[in-house]
C-alpha cells in the first residue's frame, strides 16, 4: 500500500497542480488570509478597476471545507487523473488546452446575466466529469455504494445529487454545457466528417514544453500521439535503413562475387582434371 507521499508523486502533473491549487485556496480562506470576494468573478471590477486576476482566481475556489468541497476534490483526483492517464496520455498540451478552453467557454457563458456565477471552479470540475463520461461511457461507477451506473450517466447522477442535497445546480449545468462544446468540437464534429479541425494552439505546446523542460512531461506537437510516434520512427528508419540497406547490398554483392569466383575456380579445376585424365588414358 502506497503512502500519501508516494500517491502524491504518482499523480500526473496537470491534475495534481489544479487539485493542489484548489486545496491551498480553500485552506487560505479557512485561515482567513483573504476575503473570497476579492477573487470572485466580477466583470464590473475587471473592466472598471482592471482587476484582471478575477478571471483566473475564481476557478480555484471550490467553496469552504465541506462535503461538497471533498466531493469536488475527489472528482479531480479520480476523473481528472483518469483522463490524463488515459485519453490524454502523452498529450499534456492537449489536456492543458482542454482546461483553458473550458475556462474561456465558462467566462463567455457566465457573461449572460442569468448564468452569472461568482466562482466557476465547480463548473470546471463538472466539465472534467462530463468529458470523462463521454470518453468512458461503458465504465461502471458506484454512487456512494448504493447505485451502480454506466459512466455515461455520471454528470446526470451528480446533478441529481446536488439537487437532492440542496446545492446550486447552475454551476453543474454550465460545466456540462462547456464540456459538451469541447467534446463536440474535438470528437463528434471530426467523426461526422467536418472540415473544421479543432486543434491545440502551438503556443500551448510551447508553454508546456518550456514548463516541462527537465521533467518527465511529454508534449507532442501533434494532437494524435500515434502520429508523433510514427513520424519519429520513420525519421529513424530513413537514416538507419538507408545505411543498413547500403551496407547489406555491398555485403551481398561482395558475397556474390566471391561465391561466383569460387564456383568458377572450382569448375575450372574440375574441367582441367578431367581433361588430363582423358588425355592420359588416350
Amino acid at each position: 500500500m502506497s503512502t500519501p507521499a508516494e500517491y502524491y508523486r504518482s499523480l500526473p502533473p496537470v491534475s495534481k497542480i489544479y487539485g493542489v491549487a484548489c486545496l491551498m485556496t480553500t485552506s487560505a480562506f479557512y485561515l482567513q488570509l483573504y476575503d473570497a470576494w476579492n477573487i470572485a468573478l466580477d466583470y464590473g471590477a475587471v473592466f472598471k478597476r482592471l482587476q484582471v486576476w478575477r478571471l483566473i482566481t475564481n476557478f480555484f475556489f471550490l467553496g469552504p471545507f465541506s462535503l461538497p468541497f471533498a466531493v469536488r476534490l475527489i472528482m479531480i483526483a479520480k476523473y481528472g487523473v483518469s483522463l490524463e492517464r488515459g485519453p490524454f496520455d502523452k498529450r499534456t498540451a492537449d489536456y492543458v488546452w482542454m482546461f483553458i478552453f473550458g475556462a474561456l467557454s465558462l467566462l463567455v457563458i457566465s457573461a449572460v446575466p442569468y448564468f452569472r456565477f461568482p466562482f466557476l471552479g465547480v463548473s470546471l470540475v463538472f466539465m472534467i466529469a462530463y468529458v470523462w463520461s463521454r470518453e468512458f461511457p461503458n465504465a461502471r461507477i458506484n454512487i456512494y455504494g448504493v447505485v451502480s451506473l454506466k459512466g455515461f450517466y455520471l454528470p446526470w447522477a451528480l446533478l441529481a445529487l446536488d439537487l437532492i442535497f440542496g446545492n446550486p445546480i447552475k454551476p453543474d449545468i454550465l460545466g456540462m454545457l462547456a464540456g459538451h462544446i469541447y467534446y463536440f468540437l474535438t470528437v463528434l464534429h471530426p467523426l461526422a466528417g467536418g472540415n473544421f479541425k479543432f486543434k491545440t494552439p502551438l503556443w500551448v505546446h510551447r508553454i508546456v514544453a518550456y514548463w516541462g523542460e527537465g521533467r518527465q512531461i511529454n508534449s507532442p506537437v501533434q494532437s494524435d500521439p500515434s502520429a508523433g510516434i510514427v513520424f519519429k520512427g520513420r525519421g529513424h528508419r530513413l537514416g538507419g535503413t538507408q545505411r543498413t540497406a547500403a551496407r547489406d547490398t555491398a555485403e551481398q554483392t561482395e558475397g556474390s562475387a566471391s561465391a561466383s569466383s569460387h564456383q568458377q575456380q572450382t569448375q575450372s579445376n574440375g574441367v582441367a582434371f578431367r581433361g588430363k585424365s582423358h588425355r592420359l588414358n588416350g
Side-chain angles (χ1 to χ4, degrees):
M1 185 175 180
S2 62
T3 63
E6 292 176 348
Y7 172 75
Y8 173 79
R9 287 192 295 267
S10 68
L11 293 175
V14 180
S15 300
K16 177 167 62 176
I17 290 175
Y18 183 64
V20 171
C22 293
L23 179 61
M24 296 300 294
T25 302
T26 300
S27 300
F29 172 76
Y30 179 77
L31 297 175
Q32 298 182 351
L33 298 180
Y34 69 95
D35 186 358
W37 292 107
N38 290 331
I39 65 171
L41 178 62
D42 184 355
Y43 284 106
V46 170
F47 293 108
K48 293 180 180 179
R49 295 192 291 272
L50 298 181
Q51 297 179 358
V52 293
W53 65 82
R54 295 176 178 271
L55 298 175
I56 301 176
T57 54
N58 74 92
F59 289 102
F60 297 104
F61 187 72
L62 302 180
F65 284 122
S66 59
L67 179 60
F69 170 81
V71 171
R72 308 307 181 197
L73 210 60
I74 292 174
M75 290 170 63
I76 298 173
K78 184 175 182 180
Y79 305 118
V81 170
S82 178
L83 280 176
E84 194 168 357
R85 287 177 174 170
F88 291 94
D89 184 31
K90 300 186 184 301
R91 296 172 53 203
T92 305
D94 295 332
Y95 194 56
V96 172
W97 174 240
M98 186 195 79
F99 272 81
I100 296 175
F101 177 81
L104 293 176
S105 301
L106 291 171
L107 290 175
V108 173
I109 296 173
S110 62
V112 180
Y114 178 76
F115 294 110
R116 189 161 299 171
F117 202 76
F119 301 101
L120 298 176
V122 175
S123 301
L124 190 59
V125 173
F126 221 85
M127 174 190 172
I128 296 173
Y130 182 87
V131 175
W132 183 91
S133 69
R134 300 305 299 265
E135 293 287 351
F136 300 94
N138 296 319
R140 303 301 301 182
I141 57 173
N142 290 318
I143 305 298
Y144 294 114
V146 177
V147 180
S148 179
L149 299 171
K150 286 187 176 182
F152 181 82
Y153 301 104
L154 173 65
W156 304 101
L158 296 175
L159 181 67
L161 287 176
D162 282 341
L163 184 62
I164 293 173
F165 292 151
N167 298 324
I169 62 172
K170 189 182 297 184
D172 302 351
I173 297 174
L174 294 181
M176 293 174 63
L177 182 58
H180 184 74
I181 293 173
Y182 173 82
Y183 192 77
F184 174 80
L185 293 176
T186 57
V187 178
L188 299 181
H189 182 67
L191 288 178
N195 296 325
F196 173 72
K197 294 183 179 180
F198 187 76
K199 295 183 179 180
T200 303
L202 184 59
W203 60 269
V204 178
H205 286 283
R206 290 176 176 173
I207 291 176
V208 173
Y210 177 78
W211 169 59
E213 186 176 357
R215 301 178 179 89
Q216 294 181 351
I217 297 176
N218 192 327
S219 174
V221 175
Q222 297 174 345
S223 60
D224 185 3
S226 61
I229 296 173
V230 172
F231 175 77
K232 289 187 290 187
R234 287 179 61 191
H236 176 70
R237 291 174 184 172
L238 282 175
T241 307
Q242 289 178 353
R243 291 193 298 270
T244 304
R247 187 172 60 252
D248 292 344
T249 304
E251 290 177 356
Q252 289 176 0
T253 305
E254 244 183 336
S256 300
S258 176
S260 177
S261 174
H262 178 71
Q263 184 176 4
Q264 290 177 359
Q265 183 179 1
T266 304
Q267 290 177 352
S268 62
N269 291 338
V271 173
F273 177 77
R274 287 198 301 269
K276 289 181 179 181
S277 174
H278 176 72
R279 290 175 182 173
L280 285 173
N281 290 335

